[in-house]
Amino acid sequence: EKDCMSAELVLMNGSYDLDNVKKIASKVLKKRMNIISEETAQDVNWSIITLKTAPPYDVIFGAACAPKAGNAVSGDRHSFEKISDEKFLMALCDGMGAGQSAERLSNTALALIENFYKAGFDNMTILSSVNKFLAYTDDESFMALDICVINLRECSCDLIKLGAPYGILKHNQDSEIIEGASLPIGILEDTKPTVFRKLLKANDMIILSTDGITDVFKDFVTYKNFVDSINTTNPQVMADTILDYCLKADKSAPHDDMSVICARIFPLV
């Protein structure tokens, strides 16, 4: 990759501190370096430290959630997980129904998704495996699923939607709607997701929400205009502002589980 450098150091055990190794390597190579791995050499008295140029971007997240009125827990579940040295997973599951059964379903699906991504499987293999798991359970287990894989080196993201409502990609002054058309996961044995690849700009914000949020708005244009009116670059403030509006619109008695998650990608100085 252009401007991407890697290095291996062989150091005697007990003679180094990983933070200092990273600082010294960054100074010598004149690039911000990250430690990718630390492994024992064939001679157990030595270790092999692998470093790679740090991605030029980082990401921060925010989330706001509320259960359906009358339920103690929400069937929505979300995840923010680092899956490699340069990729983050952002996922939102809306399990069928509400309450504890929907919560268990969403928790199981998210755990599978996280582990598959960390193991390095591709999008389609992961979704096919999770879909088959849900399709073969004894009861009717299906869910709406939003996945966003953010690449901090390329400043891009893959958005994967299965039965999930539209998402929003907010730029500095305006935003665009990301709309999927796929069935929820678990309904059919062979479900095909809607997949988008988006190039991002510095400080773009990705906003994903369950239908408990989007149903509050008359249509996606109304939701988009509301998001455009929120003047913040803080993803937690964005999530809180959206949820607060929806709770007030539902008179503090949510008609469904409500969840909104946000991520902002930003350049490292």
Side-chain angles (χ1 to χ4, degrees):
E1 295 177 20
K2 186 180 178 182
D3 299 325
C4 186
M5 179 184 295
S6 60
E8 282 191 351
L9 303 176
V10 181
L11 302 173
M12 182 177 289
N13 292 337
S15 68
Y16 62 88
D17 173 82
L18 287 177
D19 285 339
N20 285 335
V21 169
K22 185 165 73 171
K23 289 176 183 176
I24 294 168
S26 299
K27 184 175 181 180
V28 170
L29 298 173
K30 296 182 172 59
K31 290 181 180 290
R32 189 188 299 108
M33 304 296 289
N34 278 347
I35 292 175
I36 304 302
S37 64
E38 179 187 17
E39 299 175 349
T40 303
Q42 284 188 331
D43 184 335
V44 295
N45 294 312
W46 297 80
S47 290
I48 302 171
I49 313 298
T50 303
L51 302 100
K52 188 177 181 180
T53 309
Y57 294 88
D58 205 346
V59 66
I60 53 174
F61 300 100
C65 311
K68 180 179 179 179
N71 289 328
V73 297
S74 171
D76 296 346
R77 278 293 177 266
H78 66 271
S79 173
F80 302 123
E81 192 77 30
K82 190 169 188 178
I83 55 176
S84 75
D85 66 298
E86 59 193 41
K87 289 183 180 180
F88 268 93
L89 170 70
M90 172 184 180
L92 180 60
C93 285
D94 181 358
M96 180 190 69
Q100 292 185 343
S101 61
E103 178 198 28
R104 285 193 298 269
L105 180 64
S106 293
N107 280 338
T108 302
L110 267 188
L112 287 170
I113 289 165
E114 290 173 0
N115 289 329
F116 275 128
Y117 269 109
K118 286 179 181 177
F121 289 98
D122 63 272
N123 293 332
M124 294 304 106
T125 300
I126 293 168
L127 294 175
S128 175
S129 300
V130 175
N131 187 63
K132 286 176 181 175
F133 167 79
L134 294 175
Y136 290 145
T137 54
D138 292 335
D139 54 355
E140 289 185 338
S141 300
F142 57 88
M143 66 179 60
L145 179 61
D146 252 326
I147 294 175
C148 180
V149 179
I150 302 171
N151 190 312
L152 302 178
R153 196 172 299 280
E154 297 177 356
C155 196
S156 68
C157 68
D158 288 342
L159 287 153
I160 302 140
K161 302 181 79 65
L162 278 154
Y166 48 82
I168 293 181
L169 178 55
K170 190 177 191 303
H171 309 295
N172 284 332
Q173 299 299 325
D174 62 352
S175 59
E176 62 178 292
I177 296 292
I178 309 296
E179 192 169 10
S182 302
L183 290 170
I185 193 165
I187 289 182
L188 299 176
E189 186 176 333
D190 185 22
T191 300
K192 297 190 183 304
T194 306
V195 182
F196 304 88
R197 165 68 60 89
K198 291 286 184 179
L199 292 176
L200 304 174
K201 296 179 181 177
N203 295 311
D204 276 357
M205 195 179 298
I206 301 152
I207 302 168
L208 305 177
S209 52
T210 58
D211 57 4
I213 293 288
T214 57
D215 286 350
V216 169
F217 297 89
K218 182 173 68 173
D219 51 35
F220 63 79
V221 175
T222 309
Y223 189 21
K224 174 187 178 300
N225 290 341
F226 177 70
V227 168
D228 285 341
S229 73
I230 303 171
N231 185 24
T232 183
T233 58
N234 185 322
Q236 187 60 57
V237 172
M238 175 65 76
D240 287 338
T241 304
I242 293 171
L243 180 65
D244 287 347
Y245 174 87
C246 292
L247 288 175
K248 288 174 183 174
D250 260 3
K251 298 179 174 55
S252 298
H255 69 284
D256 194 1
D257 295 330
M258 292 183 172
S259 295
V260 55
I261 62 175
C262 306
R264 178 171 66 88
I265 192 168
F266 62 94
L268 293 170
V269 178

